[in-house]
Amino acid sequence: MPGISIFGIPGLPEITAGTDLAGSIFAAAAAAGTPLESRDILVITSKVVSKAEGRVVELASVDVSPFARQYAEKWDKEPAVIELVLRESRRVVRQVGPVLITETRHGFVCANAGIDQSSSGGHGLAVLLPVDPDASAMRVRRALQARGLDIAVIISDTFGRPWREAQNDVAIGVAGMQPVTSYIGQVDPHGHEFRVQALCTADEVAGAAELVKGNLSRVPCAVVRGLPWEPDDTATMQSIIRDSERDLFR
């Protein structure tokens, strides 16, 4: 592999419900002098996907349950946000003090069901994760295919990690590419056969793209160019999410 390049796509307008996300990204990339190319991997921050899909909630409109209100008052949290976290979750995995780790309806384990108030578009708003991030990624991929481009798409979000401080971006939606690169069955230079080694390429790409996006740059999309990827239009995040029966820590 000769090397890869990673660059952000600046100049996107403020994304609101109904925005043509693929069209906006296509136009912004061209205007920046870095037009999209076939075999690129396009990484899109989930927040702009959620905004385009109308997944922004006015907190004042949320009917808060007594449990959510009691929990919020005890730990100095916003009651409407706690209510949304509970609605968006299959179950609470762990609660220690104000920290609420949940399993979302998608199967992701993360803080607060991935709900965020930052960069929401205004005060008193919360952004929920896309209903189906795989489908969201596929819609963007199909729209770019209609423009003659064969581009893999990853939807990313910022998650914490067990055993480590700080956070990094991971894939929560994928379209067009196999998200895992497996070495199982291959042999290293010393003759040892790999039995369990597999890389989550989608997560690695999402994390790399975050280096040129950031939280304050207003650059919610990035392109990874030059990295080979295995085409797969049937791929979903379900191949990455570990079943609870095989999870030693849930």
Side-chain angles (χ1 to χ4, degrees), residues 125-221:
L125 301 176
V127 183
L128 315 183
L129 291 180
V131 173
D132 185 343
D134 288 327
S136 301
M138 184 57 77
R139 280 192 289 271
V140 174
R141 172 167 164 78
R142 294 301 188 208
L144 295 175
Q145 284 179 323
R147 291 173 165 84
L149 296 171
D150 180 20
I151 292 177
V153 179
I154 291 173
I155 309 299
S156 68
D157 198 64
T158 305
F159 280 16
R161 302 162 296 163
W163 311 297
R164 290 180 180 267
E165 297 292 345
Q167 303 83 34
N168 66 274
D169 268 22
V170 298
I172 66 166
V174 63
M177 65 177 284
Q178 173 54 240
V180 174
T181 301
S182 176
Y183 291 95
I184 297 173
Q186 298 187 42
V187 178
D188 75 6
H190 304 287
H192 297 289
E193 181 180 342
F194 292 114
R195 298 185 181 277
V196 296
Q197 284 82 354
L199 300 180
C200 187
T201 309
D203 279 352
E204 293 186 327
V205 170
E210 173 63 10
L211 296 174
V212 299
K213 290 190 291 151
N215 290 316
L216 302 176
S217 63
R218 296 184 66 84
V219 178
C221 306

Side-chain angles (χ1 to χ4, degrees), residues 6 9 12 21 85 113 121 123 132-133 146 151 155 191 233:
I6 308 170
I9 302 176
L12 265 74
L21 192 56
V85 169
H123 294 293
D132 185 343
I151 292 177
I155 309 299
D233 270 329

